[in-house]
Amino acid sequence: MADAGFIATTCNKTHNAKCVAVLTANPDSADASTVSDLAGVALDLAVAAASDAGALINDRSSRYGGGAPEGEALRACSGAYFDAANDLDIDAHDSLGSGDYAAASRLVSGASGAADTCDAAFAAAKVSSVMVDVDQKMKDRCGVARDLINLLIKFPPSDN
């Protein structure tokens, strides 16, 4: 069972200031006993962030009529978050499970880019983003997942 000390010690190795907060907010972290387990929990949190963003985008899209700049920006966000959710849920999970940590890390980093794509879409539309909090959550969760996966590259599971 992961305790707060294990999570804090592991997160310290990542130098990610959001790591402890992200992991301790999820009860599944308590079941983790290895860095690999924590990386899996963090990846699940990133998948959830991308999926939640998709649902929120659908909800917010209904508020804007056809051709509204916010609606156009949300369409760009929708595509980016859809791709990110698939990349995380399918490919990154498979890579992490098979021990291909470098591929998993690349996939998580790429999925984090959905938030940047969404930010850019609102900037290009010259309207205030209605996705700021969601985009930040995605960046935070992907950052924690990536950093924990990167620990597995530095310290393979037999060493952690």
Side-chain angles (χ1 to χ4, degrees):
M1 295 296 249
D3 62 10
F6 173 66
I7 292 171
T9 300
T10 304
C11 284
N12 260 354
K13 294 175 187 174
T14 69
H15 306 291
N16 184 319
K18 308 252 174 135
C19 184
V20 171
V22 166
L23 290 174
T24 57
N26 185 302
D28 291 341
S29 297
D31 295 331
S33 60
T34 65
V35 174
S36 193
D37 292 343
L38 284 178
V41 169
L43 181 55
D44 290 342
L45 291 170
V47 171
S51 297
D52 292 350
L56 187 64
I57 289 165
N58 288 338
D59 177 60
R60 290 182 178 171
S61 292
S62 65
R63 297 179 192 167
Y64 301 101
E70 293 88 351
E72 295 298 321
L74 285 168
R75 272 190 277 293
C77 296
S78 179
Y81 276 107
F82 178 82
D83 290 344
N86 285 333
D87 287 348
L88 292 168
D89 197 27
I90 299 167
D91 298 331
H93 266 126
D94 287 350
S95 295
L96 182 63
S98 70
D100 189 351
Y101 305 125
S105 179
R106 280 191 306 276
L107 287 160
V108 172
S109 292
S112 178
D116 295 328
T117 298
C118 194
D119 289 341
F122 279 95
K126 296 180 173 57
V127 292
S128 295
S129 177
V130 296
M131 296 291 291
V132 173
D133 293 343
V134 174
D135 291 341
Q136 189 58 54
K137 181 179 180 181
M138 182 68 171
K139 290 176 188 177
D140 292 347
R141 290 188 174 185
C142 284
V144 170
R146 180 203 58 233
D147 292 346
L148 288 168
I149 292 167
N150 285 345
L151 286 180
L152 295 169
I153 295 169
K154 289 182 192 174
F155 309 104
S158 61
D159 296 343
N160 67 35

